[in-house]
Amino acid sequence: MKSLCLLFIFFDCTLTKYLLGEKNEINILKKELKVLQEAGRQLKTKKNIEDAHSLLFSKYVTLLNRPYASDTKKWKKRLNIFKESLGRHQLLNNYEVLYNGTAKYGINQYSDWSLEEFKNYRLTRDLGMFSDFSTQKIYLNNENEICSIQKKAYPNSKDWIGMSTKIKDQKNCGSCWAFVASEQVETYLAIAGQPIVELSPQELISCSPSMGCHGGNTCTALSWMKQTRSCLKTEKEYPYEEKVSKCLYSNCTTSDARIYAVCGCQSFVGNEENMIRVLSQKGPLSVNVDAVSWQDYIGGIIQHHCTNKDINHAVQLIGYNLDDGLVPYFVVRNQWGPLFGEDGYLRIKYGGNICGVAEQPSFIVA
């Protein structure tokens, strides 16, 4: 308990700086969460553990400015959920140690959310396999095909983060598929030499075939853009509303973002090497995954606790690292804000279709 108290003393000092509005608030908030994460890992004995839980939770509520701080009934409910999260973190981390894993699980912005709330507000119930519109298959060594990749050597690591916009937040809307579709267009246009500009996921939510905040498919959205010759307005022109609204689509102008081909939307299960070829030769991949276990993720390489049975989230694979001495991994760009994971990103082991990353990858030609 002594080391736990020392952590809280440090926490109080840095929290004061945060509340006073010091610059780089996100970085300070991350620092505070790391203090809480370390405190949570120290709760291994039953001595005074209830008081320790309450104290830790009190710090958490203050740090994240939770609205139930003055509501006793809601406070108790959230405290119980928080304690369940702490127990789950310990089990997950123990498993990682047992199987020489590197992923870390701990306190984050979802530690006072129930699993059902996490599924309802961050995942989607309808992210089914692609069925509408047409796409072009990814071919190997066929120069006559626009979606062809070459069977040649690739670098040990590659990422397109420098060609992408900042990490975004879908908030309480199951619109991950629209964010990934717009991010794919953003990045591929940048790779083609155009300025890096934030494009509108809201236009896809309101105008393309989907269930809006209740689900959609990145392949369907991108194929709709291609087949109907639609284009994306910028985020500034068509801002995110976190809901379905009336489609305000207007005719394209020469400066609007459009695409010329959607490639893939096919299974690469058992053949993830071709995903590496796309990432090294073309650009990022959009993929659908099972992200239920991500609720507790705070860093490291995910290689356990993640199935491919329930596809419920869309993300952008924006890079990879196959260097010797490391567990080979994909770099994943998420849409839950920069506070989540590793500055908004995750790492998932390459090979084995971990989290379902190889179920339905795709890229575009812009």
Side-chain angles (χ1 to χ4, degrees):
M1 286 299 292
K2 181 178 179 181
S3 57
L4 183 61
C5 291
L6 288 175
L7 282 170
F8 285 142
I9 291 171
F10 171 73
F11 176 84
D12 284 334
C13 295
T14 49
L15 175 61
T16 300
K17 294 179 182 178
Y18 171 72
L19 293 176
L20 290 175
E22 189 172 292
K23 293 180 180 179
N24 301 319
E25 289 185 354
I26 287 294
N27 288 333
I28 295 172
L29 196 55
K30 290 175 187 173
K31 187 176 181 180
E32 307 298 352
L33 273 177
K34 286 183 178 179
V35 174
L36 287 185
Q37 289 159 7
E38 179 58 31
R41 283 192 286 270
Q42 293 185 30
L43 296 177
K44 295 180 179 179
T45 67
K46 292 184 178 181
K47 184 179 180 181
N48 299 325
I49 199 162
E50 287 299 319
D51 290 340
H53 277 152
S54 297
L55 181 58
L56 188 61
F57 183 62
S58 178
K59 300 291 184 181
Y60 178 86
V61 170
T62 301
L63 176 63
L64 295 183
N65 195 27
R66 292 308 201 212
Y68 53 78
S70 59
D71 188 316
T72 303
K73 185 176 180 180
K74 290 182 179 179
W75 173 283
K76 289 181 179 178
K77 176 184 176 181
R78 294 296 159 183
L79 172 59
N80 287 331
I81 293 173
F82 185 77
K83 289 191 289 187
E84 290 175 1
S85 295
L86 292 177
R88 191 170 61 245
H89 301 161
Q90 185 171 339
L91 288 174
L92 291 170
N93 287 322
N94 288 346
Y95 190 93
E96 287 295 302
V97 172
L98 181 63
Y99 289 94
N100 297 315
T102 68
K104 293 180 175 61
Y105 300 91
I107 296 170
N108 63 16
Q109 66 265 50
Y110 305 122
S111 296
D112 61 343
W113 287 26
S114 69
L115 178 59
E116 280 306 307
E117 288 169 330
F118 180 72
K119 288 180 178 180
N120 288 337
Y121 296 123
R122 283 297 178 269
L123 306 180
T124 175
R125 296 178 179 177
D126 189 358
L127 224 165
M129 293 296 100
F130 173 74
S131 59
D132 296 325
F133 297 101
S134 61
T135 62
Q136 296 175 249
K137 288 187 176 181
I138 299 174
Y139 292 92
L140 195 60
N141 291 336
N142 189 339
E143 295 181 358
N144 295 322
E145 294 289 342
I146 194 171
C147 294
S148 179
I149 54 176
Q150 302 304 308
K151 189 176 182 180
K152 61 181 183 181
Y154 41 78
N156 280 344
S157 62
K158 176 77 175 182
D159 75 64
W160 299 95
I161 293 174
M163 292 289 182
S164 64
T165 55
K166 66 181 181 181
I167 291 291
K168 303 170 187 175
D169 191 349
Q170 69 187 64
K171 300 180 182 177
N172 294 336
C173 171
S175 54
C176 52
W177 58 274
F179 274 82
V180 173
S182 61
E183 288 163 359
Q184 282 288 85
V185 180
E186 291 169 354
T187 308
Y188 275 88
L189 287 175
I191 292 170
Q194 296 191 33
I196 300 175
V197 178
E198 286 191 39
L199 299 177
S200 171
Q202 186 63 48
E203 183 176 341
L204 295 170
I205 294 167
S206 296
C207 302
S208 72
S210 73
M211 295 179 66
C213 287
H214 297 291
N217 188 286
T218 301
C219 285
T220 302
L222 291 169
S223 295
W224 170 80
M225 280 187 65
K226 193 260 182 183
Q227 293 290 329
T228 60
R229 298 182 179 180
S230 301
C231 50
L232 284 183
K233 298 294 183 181
T234 66
E235 173 65 19
K236 185 176 180 180
E237 294 171 322
Y238 205 143
Y240 186 52
E241 299 179 55
E242 201 182 338
K243 64 180 182 179
V244 178
S245 57
K246 181 180 179 181
C247 177
L248 302 177
Y249 180 79
S250 59
N251 292 331
C252 296
T253 66
T254 54
S255 62
D256 288 333
R258 67 182 71 213
I259 62 176
Y260 298 98
V262 182
C263 307
C265 303
Q266 66 199 72
S267 173
F268 276 101
V269 176
N271 193 15
E272 291 180 34
E273 186 176 23
N274 278 345
M275 295 171 64
I276 297 294
R277 291 189 172 100
V278 172
L279 286 166
S280 65
Q281 297 172 26
K282 301 293 185 179
L285 284 159
S286 61
V287 298
N288 296 330
V289 296
D290 180 349
V292 169
S293 66
W294 296 8
Q295 179 177 356
D296 303 309
Y297 175 82
I298 59 174
I301 302 169
I302 295 173
Q303 51 185 316
H304 309 116
H305 324 300
C306 201
T307 75
N308 53 27
K309 304 301 182 184
D310 181 18
I311 302 302
N312 47 45
H313 189 49
V315 291
Q316 190 182 38
L317 293 193
I318 204 160
Y320 65 88
N321 191 321
L322 309 176
D323 284 343
D324 292 338
L326 293 174
V327 175
Y329 61 84
F330 292 112
V331 181
V332 182
R333 180 188 183 186
N334 203 12
Q335 301 83 38
W336 296 341
L339 194 60
F340 175 78
E342 299 179 329
D343 299 324
Y345 297 88
L346 307 89
R347 287 178 288 165
I348 295 178
K349 181 185 175 184
Y350 160 73
N353 191 27
I354 305 299
C355 302
V357 292
E359 296 289 339
Q360 194 185 72
S362 67
F363 71 95
I364 62 173
V365 178

